Amino acid sequence: GRVTMMGLGVEKDPVKANGYFSQACDLGQADGCAGYGISLYQGTGVVRDADRGLVILEQACQAGSQIACKMRLDPDAKPEW
């Protein structure tokens, strides 16, 4: 998801990246949930749902995602992948 979101060696595609984040989150991968929460909060590749994004970021942080822990404190910041 991060590679596709940033366009690192592949075409940049936020919609596709969000799909990858969502799948990873469904499989219990904390950083995938962080990406999904960031996408929802910021409206990147999906319809913005800030409240749901913050909930997912909090859950991902509790599951061990350092990215989510940083982003929940400043969800408008650019993610530091």
Side-chain angles (χ1 to χ4, degrees):
R2 292 180 279 207
V3 169
T4 305
M5 182 65 78
M6 298 173 69
L8 301 173
V10 298
E11 184 177 339
K12 187 175 182 177
D13 188 339
V15 173
K16 186 184 271 187
N18 188 60
Y20 293 144
F21 289 140
S22 178
Q23 288 175 342
C25 188
D26 289 345
L27 294 171
Q29 206 279 334
D31 284 339
C33 291
Y36 186 52
I38 292 165
S39 292
L40 284 170
Y41 182 86
Q42 295 182 349
T44 308
V46 295
V47 174
R48 187 169 192 240
D49 186 342
D51 292 337
R52 186 166 176 232
L54 288 175
V55 168
I56 292 171
L57 282 172
E58 181 63 35
Q59 292 169 343
C61 178
Q62 291 176 6
S65 171
Q66 294 301 310
I67 296 165
C69 292
K70 287 182 182 180
M71 291 302 295
R72 72 186 171 92
L73 297 175
D74 185 7
D76 292 310
K78 182 176 180 181
E80 296 180 21
W81 301 112

